[in-house]
Amino acid sequence: MASNNYPTPMLDVLEDGPWPSFITGIKNLRDNHPDERIQNVTNGLLGQLEHSYETKMGYWKGGTISVFGYGGGIIPRFSEVGDKFPESREFHTLRVQPPAGNFYDSAMLRQLADSWEKWGSGLQTFHGQTGNIMFIGSDSKSFQHFFDEINDYGWDLGGAGPCVRTAMSCIGGARCEMSNCNEQAIHRHLVNSFTDDVHRPALPYKFKFKVSGCPNDCQNAIERADMAVIGTWRDHKAINQDEWKAFVAEKGRDYVIDNVITRCTSGSLSLGDDDSLIADETNCVRSMHCMNVVPKAIHPGEDKGVTILMGGKRTLKIGDLMGIVIVPFMKLENDDDYEQIIELAEEVIDFWAENGLEHERCGEMIERIGLVNFLEGIGVDPDPNMIHQPRNVSYVRMDGWDEAAEEWFDRKREEKMAS
Amino acid sequence: MAAPQMREPIETGAPDGFQYMHPAMRRNFGTWAYHEDVQPGVMVHVAKYGSDKVWTIKAGTQRILDVFTLRKLMDIADEKGDGFIQFTIRSNIQFFVDSEEKVLPLVAALEDAGFPVGGTRNSVASISHTQGWLHCDIPGTDASGVVKAMMDELLPYWRGWDMPNRVHLTTSCCQINCGGQGDIAINVQHTKPPKIDHSLVGNVCERPSVVARCPVAAIRPAMVDGKPSLEVDEKKCICCGACYPPCPPMQINDYEYTQLAIWIGGNHSNARGKPTFQRLVAAGVPNNPPRWPEATAIVKKILDVYKDSARDWERINEWVERIGWPRFFELTGLPFTKYHIDNWRGARANLNSSTHIRF
């Protein structure tokens, strides 16, 4: 077999150095895997990759394939240089949805590896930028068998194309003291309410849910998700003054003033003469800094919930957009609460499916039609937490002002009566 | 002939994560008290109720995992750990154990097997990346190779706690930027309009969709050599490559003109300031496999200047906001050019309309 290996002089250079080498891993499959099929396909892959390194060009093209019953979830790859490297002529990727937070036990990963080795190339990634487990390298004969096998023990394909995509969530309450919500429950309630929209692409473009348990937003939800759900709290943060004073004693007042007190985003902290932490809670914007510096002493409050932002996305087509606050605070404790967040997601996806242009993300639609039209479309009332500041251009038609003001006062009265 | 019997899919969606969590994490879900950083790559989380503690050991991998490597990692998880792991958003693997005695043997086993332990707190985390030449249909460069070459050089930054705050790196192989926002992003930048194979466009591309995809309306339908095709107004074209995915005969990749650009200050967190997008700092960087030394040199320069000049807890965007962009270009020795001045929609917000100037 060795004599038939494609030469890889440029890739060989990537075996040097201390960081783990993907080239060494692929070569190991080529040289040492007992299955000749895997030896061959990895040999072809290395040959084509070396060719890319030499010519500085990519040689994969897409197509349309899926498993029986689904319309998406597989990224088809056919080689444009298949005549030169016929062993890896077809090299499709299956996107598989991980659990929220990307948790696994070793037995399950071994089981997945065994299935993949039986049908595919033996290469996989945890995880792609879409949040999926990516099983890279199957051919037309094998992908259905692999899917059937892993689907039988609990794994389903993720989204690809214009559809609801695989969701992503941070490690969350499983191992983080800053978590304000049940990321596991939110993730599954949302994305699993849209399995039809995940598997059968029929939306204007992609739609992503991401869940972060606190405003540190480790999932980049505001920057990347069409619907970002971020844990927060609305009562006072919890301060353990004994732990705080121990921190001041250890670090000294100067350090604490320079690194915690004066660094508070909204200037809402001060240091008492007795070294206690004094917090102006009405001006805390939940910017996490004091908690990140002193996680032993300061924690989120008890009245936990989520803030929901919508419309985040990356560059294509009109440039990067951050999500916008749509729901400043929502409790997520009982079935009714979860029903409410699912209904909101349904409203948004329905409205966008009807009004979005082809290949237009939800955030781009909001940019095109304006936030107010979007809010009216999904039935959400305006809230000053949605804006950075009010408009600064006087060119606006405002003959509905009196009604709008009355609605505001009515809502405020209702809120007061409810509380 | 009867159609073959096909199996109906079971539409389960995302599986239940609790079944794969370490039992101590399941027991204490949502009720952790605090954490401490024990050493680079190791932290301990302490439960609010009872006496549970969970140690996390974080290691770097090559992301494109072969089954041999995956099984090696699982062997370590079973022999030295408790058999429970998790992957971070940047494809690092985290092992969880519930007793302190297991920590150092687990760290040693990972290091012995070539998986460097680190990447926590104020270190440089591994580079979140895309597929590149290994699998993508529109890549201008490789991703796994760039990351391998760069992390070889950045290993001391990964292992140490020497940075002012955490640094997230990303790479992207086209200007769509799947790699996302990062404190430092190394992204492909095309510099010439697409080369069009007019003999193929009519058959391969849905022309109205391609016209609609262009961010600057530079594409229009045209007849070329008697065949329906598309033409590009090259003066308007911003060379973004958005037309290439829906229409591969509009080839944007080029062995010479596809280059790299470096962006800084993307920050996803709401900690201190609001989240920020990354900003262009350098372009014209050669796309130079197999080790991309020019890009790595610029990244290291920026990291070293940041390390020397930033205050504790300042992320790169906050540091530059404090010292000002003129000083950033001075400290890094990078040229400031007309290309740094924004002219996209909303550009005014990126221009200085004040007399706030540092002399």
Side-chain angles (χ1 to χ4, degrees):
Chain A
M1 184 64 213
S3 57
N4 295 329
N5 287 348
Y6 296 107
T8 54
M10 288 185 91
L11 300 183
D12 293 349
V13 174
L14 290 172
E15 293 198 84
D16 300 336
W19 194 259
S21 169
F22 68 112
I23 296 298
T24 305
I26 303 174
K27 279 191 182 175
N28 201 8
L29 289 179
R30 181 194 66 186
D31 298 339
N32 299 315
H33 199 279
D35 187 341
E36 200 175 326
R37 185 185 56 77
I38 287 184
Q39 294 169 15
N40 287 334
V41 72
T42 48
N43 183 34
L45 178 72
L46 286 166
Q48 177 168 333
L49 189 59
E50 174 72 21
H51 183 56
S52 279
Y53 271 61
E54 284 167 5
T55 57
K56 299 196 194 183
M57 296 286 280
Y59 296 99
W60 298 107
K61 62 181 177 197
T64 310
I65 58 170
S66 191
V67 296
F68 177 75
Y70 286 178
I74 299 186
I75 309 298
R77 286 293 176 256
F78 299 92
S79 176
E80 289 174 331
V81 287
D83 291 344
K84 277 191 184 137
F85 310 103
E87 304 87 348
S88 53
R89 187 185 291 274
E90 289 185 45
F91 208 70
H92 315 309
T93 283
L94 289 96
R95 287 183 174 174
V96 172
Q97 292 193 53
N102 302 332
F103 294 97
Y104 303 94
D105 60 31
S106 56
M108 180 44 73
L109 285 181
R110 287 181 199 278
Q111 193 176 350
L112 285 168
D114 291 348
S115 296
W116 182 233
E117 190 174 51
K118 191 154 80 185
W119 300 108
S121 71
L123 292 171
Q124 62 270 295
T125 287
F126 297 91
H127 301 83
Q129 290 296 326
T130 56
N132 293 285
I133 313 170
M134 296 193 298
F135 291 95
I136 311 166
S138 70
D139 60 19
S140 304
K141 295 191 299 291
S142 63
F143 67 80
Q144 181 74 49
H145 296 292
F146 174 69
F147 170 72
D148 287 344
E149 185 166 323
I150 65 167
N151 188 227
D152 269 340
Y153 60 84
W155 298 89
D156 198 1
L157 291 188
C163 63
V164 171
R165 295 293 188 88
T166 297
M168 291 174 81
S169 298
C170 68
I171 192 164
R175 198 224 53 192
C176 183
E177 66 270 26
M178 300 305 173
S179 167
N180 294 285
C181 54
N182 184 339
E183 302 82 3
Q184 296 286 324
I186 299 169
H187 181 117
R188 294 187 83 213
H189 273 94
L190 285 175
V191 78
N192 288 355
S193 297
F194 296 92
T195 43
D196 187 41
D197 286 307
V198 170
H199 297 312
R200 294 167 194 90
L203 296 171
Y205 196 20
K206 61 182 87 164
F207 191 95
K208 298 184 174 185
F209 296 109
K210 293 190 198 294
V211 187
S212 284
C214 84
N216 280 325
D217 191 5
C218 289
Q219 284 306 294
N220 305 8
I222 294 178
E223 285 172 343
R224 304 190 71 164
D226 300 273
M227 181 163 166
V229 182
I230 301 192
T232 189
W233 67 97
R234 60 181 172 184
D235 58 343
H236 293 187
K237 56 185 164 284
I239 302 170
N240 180 330
Q241 292 287 359
D242 292 339
E243 290 289 357
W244 169 260
K245 284 179 185 175
F247 174 76
V248 179
E250 185 199 334
K251 295 284 188 180
R253 285 178 62 92
D254 279 354
Y255 176 92
V256 171
I257 289 166
D258 287 348
N259 285 287
V260 185
I261 304 297
T262 57
R263 305 289 279 280
C264 173
T265 309
S266 53
S268 68
L269 296 179
S270 53
L271 185 61
D273 287 341
D274 62 349
D275 286 350
S276 62
L277 181 63
I278 302 165
D280 167 13
E281 290 290 350
T282 53
N283 282 309
C284 173
V285 293
R286 281 74 183 151
S287 85
M288 301 304 293
H289 177 69
C290 61
M291 301 184 184
N292 292 344
V293 181
V294 204
K296 229 172 168 173
I298 315 172
H299 294 105
E302 291 296 317
D303 189 6
K304 296 174 195 294
V306 296
T307 297
I308 300 171
L309 297 91
M310 290 183 190
K313 56 171 280 295
R314 290 288 357 248
T315 316
L316 186 69
K317 152 182 174 177
I318 68 166
D320 303 48
L321 300 174
M322 300 264 185
I324 305 160
V325 172
I326 299 296
V327 180
F329 189 84
M330 183 188 277
K331 283 300 267 188
L332 282 180
E333 281 177 347
N334 56 37
D335 286 354
D336 290 346
D337 298 338
Y338 278 97
E339 199 52 47
Q340 197 189 350
I341 196 171
I342 293 167
E343 277 170 17
L344 177 69
E346 284 169 351
E347 281 289 340
V348 171
I349 289 173
D350 285 352
F351 179 77
W352 167 65
E354 270 182 37
N355 294 283
L357 305 175
E358 187 198 328
H359 219 263
E360 185 179 57
R361 289 284 286 271
C362 184
E364 290 172 312
M365 178 193 70
I366 296 172
E367 185 81 359
R368 177 168 56 81
I369 68 176
L371 180 63
V372 170
N373 282 323
F374 177 68
L375 293 176
E376 286 175 357
I378 61 169
V380 171
D381 295 322
D383 185 293
N385 288 302
M386 294 170 180
I387 62 164
H388 174 55
Q389 51 197 359
R391 73 166 66 240
N392 63 330
V393 175
S394 58
Y395 288 171
V396 53
R397 182 171 164 172
M398 292 197 278
D399 46 359
W401 173 273
D402 289 344
E403 276 170 44
E406 206 168 309
E407 281 167 18
W408 165 265
F409 288 120
D410 286 346
R411 284 203 302 278
K412 287 286 131 188
R413 261 193 299 276
E414 275 169 33
E415 280 168 25
K416 209 172 173 185
M417 304 234 298
S419 65
Chain B
M1 196 178 95
Q5 277 293 313
M6 298 297 284
R7 173 187 167 282
E8 291 286 339
I10 308 166
E11 304 198 32
T12 45
D16 178 6
F18 287 100
Q19 63 187 315
Y20 302 124
M21 277 176 209
H22 192 292
M25 297 165 77
R26 216 180 304 152
R27 274 199 300 277
N28 297 286
F29 189 89
T31 59
W32 293 98
Y34 65 92
H35 79 274
E36 283 175 342
D37 291 280
V38 181
Q39 65 185 65
V42 180
M43 49 190 162
V44 58
H45 284 75
V46 180
K48 197 185 284 182
Y49 310 109
S51 55
D52 280 335
K53 290 184 179 180
V54 164
W55 280 262
T56 300
I57 296 95
K58 185 175 186 177
T61 74
Q62 59 267 55
R63 198 182 91 127
I64 303 288
L65 294 172
D66 56 283
V67 285
F68 291 141
T69 303
L70 183 61
R71 288 189 185 122
K72 196 191 292 176
L73 288 163
M74 291 311 100
D75 289 344
I76 295 171
D78 287 336
E79 286 159 22
K80 305 289 178 183
D82 295 343
F84 294 92
I85 62 104
Q86 183 255 358
F87 288 94
T88 71
I89 192 174
R90 322 190 89 72
S91 298
N92 301 306
I93 189 168
Q94 303 202 106
F95 296 79
F96 305 114
V97 295
D98 59 10
S99 81
E100 194 169 8
E101 298 83 67
K102 294 176 189 162
V103 172
L104 290 179
L106 180 50
V107 170
L110 285 165
E111 291 284 356
D112 286 348
F115 303 108
V117 173
T120 57
R121 217 176 72 169
N122 48 333
S123 63
V124 175
S126 183
I127 306 172
S128 87
H129 69 91
T130 49
Q131 293 284 59
W133 288 328
L134 189 80
H135 201 260
C136 184
D137 60 338
I138 55 170
T141 186
D142 197 27
S144 316
V146 177
V147 171
K148 159 68 180 157
M150 223 168 252
M151 288 311 291
D152 277 343
E153 299 280 322
L154 299 181
L155 190 62
Y157 302 80
W158 157 272
R159 286 194 194 283
W161 280 343
D162 306 322
M163 307 309 289
N165 200 342
R166 69 191 70 236
V167 181
H168 290 161
L169 304 183
T170 72
T171 68
S172 290
C173 313
C174 80
Q175 283 170 233
I176 296 171
N177 292 356
C178 297
Q181 294 286 325
D183 292 284
I184 304 178
I186 305 100
N187 294 349
V188 155
Q189 193 80 20
H190 306 295
T191 61
K192 295 282 184 209
K195 283 190 203 128
I196 307 171
D197 185 342
H198 292 289
S199 66
L200 293 176
V201 171
N203 284 332
V204 174
C205 316
E206 197 186 320
R207 293 189 301 155
S209 321
V210 184
V211 169
R213 197 70 62 89
C214 179
V216 293
I219 303 174
R220 58 192 168 223
M223 294 294 284
V224 181
D225 299 331
K227 285 184 171 171
S229 186
L230 294 163
E231 64 182 13
V232 171
D233 181 340
E234 298 205 348
K235 283 209 179 89
K236 271 175 142 182
C237 177
I238 51 170
C239 314
C240 69
C243 51
Y244 178 51
C247 189
M250 301 183 74
Q251 180 61 256
I252 188 73
N253 288 316
D254 180 283
Y255 69 93
E256 188 180 355
Y257 298 119
T258 294
Q259 299 175 341
L260 300 179
I262 297 186
W263 305 67
I264 68 162
N267 180 353
H268 59 84
S269 179
N270 296 268
R272 297 170 302 284
K274 294 179 179 180
T276 54
F277 285 134
Q278 58 213 16
R279 310 272 157 195
L280 175 71
V281 295
V285 184
N287 181 20
N288 194 2
R291 284 214 163 254
W292 293 270
E294 300 86 355
T296 306
I298 296 174
V299 169
K300 279 180 90 169
K301 178 74 190 171
I302 295 168
L303 285 173
D304 288 338
V305 171
Y306 163 64
K307 186 175 147 187
D308 287 345
S309 158
R311 291 179 184 161
D312 286 356
W313 297 100
E314 273 178 344
R315 292 278 288 264
I316 285 184
N317 63 305
E318 297 169 290
W319 160 62
V320 178
E321 195 182 315
R322 180 173 58 78
I323 68 168
W325 284 100
R327 183 89 178 122
F328 171 84
F329 285 102
E330 192 186 314
L331 286 172
T332 54
L334 294 168
F336 180 79
T337 68
K338 63 183 178 183
Y339 298 105
H340 290 98
I341 299 175
D342 195 358
N343 63 353
W344 197 251
R345 61 171 76 190
R348 273 270 167 155
N350 289 327
L351 309 180
N352 185 8
S353 300
S354 77
T355 57
H356 293 190
I357 293 172
R358 295 168 179 82
F359 294 106

